[in-house]
Amino acid sequence: MATTTYRDVRSIAIHAEDVVAAIEANRSDDPRTVLRVTPPFDGRMRARLHVEHDGEYAASDDPDPIHVTPSRLVADPPVRPTPDETADRLRADPDAEYSVETHHERHAAAMTTWREALAGSIVDSIVLDGLDGAHSESSAPHSVGVVVLG
């Protein structure tokens, strides 16, 4: 039976692609992309990609959704390759000649490798410290499992 407290959540299910997409989207300042778990809360919940907006939840008796920052879902994330680093590696390769097309192909391959490594670094559990993940005096940490779908 679904309830209204986040403490009843035992695990959240996510798609690895959603975590990667959220981390990529958060390279800019606004708006912030999160993984959202919507009430009513139950033992097993699905977290979906969501873009936050100020004041998006009107005051009501219902609990707000849980917003999980995507960086909390990965451990030791790989460093994202930059186009400049890819160009430097290409120019340093004695067996390759630099061209815009080759640079693009190599950077696309580097980004694919990075995305796969990032998806592979998703944690098995996280601690929720309240509905927004922030620690407060009125909330004690609550550990939940993380299940990767797909």
Side-chain angles (χ1 to χ4, degrees):
M1 168 131 189
T3 62
T4 59
T5 174
Y6 80 97
R7 294 194 159 283
D8 289 324
V9 176
R10 293 183 314 276
S11 66
I12 57 173
I14 58 169
H15 279 285
E17 296 83 11
D18 287 350
V19 175
V20 172
I23 288 172
E24 284 190 89
N26 285 339
R27 287 186 25 201
S28 63
D29 292 335
D30 283 320
R32 188 171 82 124
T33 304
V34 297
L35 283 293
R36 179 175 71 169
V37 179
T38 56
F41 299 124
D42 200 357
R44 294 172 59 184
M45 298 295 299
R46 173 79 164 86
R48 298 181 189 279
L49 198 58
H50 175 74
V51 177
E52 288 185 328
H53 300 283
D54 289 336
E56 67 183 303
Y57 303 116
S60 74
D61 293 336
D62 296 329
D64 287 345
I66 299 168
H67 286 189
V68 179
T69 304
S71 60
R72 294 184 59 217
L73 293 166
V74 294
D76 301 318
V79 175
R80 180 188 170 102
T82 67
D84 289 343
E85 292 167 343
T86 302
D88 291 345
R89 280 193 302 278
L90 177 57
R91 286 186 172 103
D93 184 347
D95 297 325
E97 183 175 326
Y98 181 87
S99 71
V100 171
E101 294 81 19
T102 304
H103 180 202
H104 175 74
E105 290 168 4
R106 289 218 182 165
H107 190 64
M111 288 299 297
T112 297
T113 300
W114 173 79
R115 288 182 183 108
E116 290 168 355
L118 187 60
S121 68
I122 295 174
V123 297
D124 293 329
S125 66
I126 62 168
V127 174
L128 300 177
D129 291 336
L131 293 178
D132 62 359
H135 179 70
S136 71
E137 296 301 319
S138 63
S139 66
H142 174 65
S143 184
V144 299
V146 174
V147 178
V148 179
L149 301 173

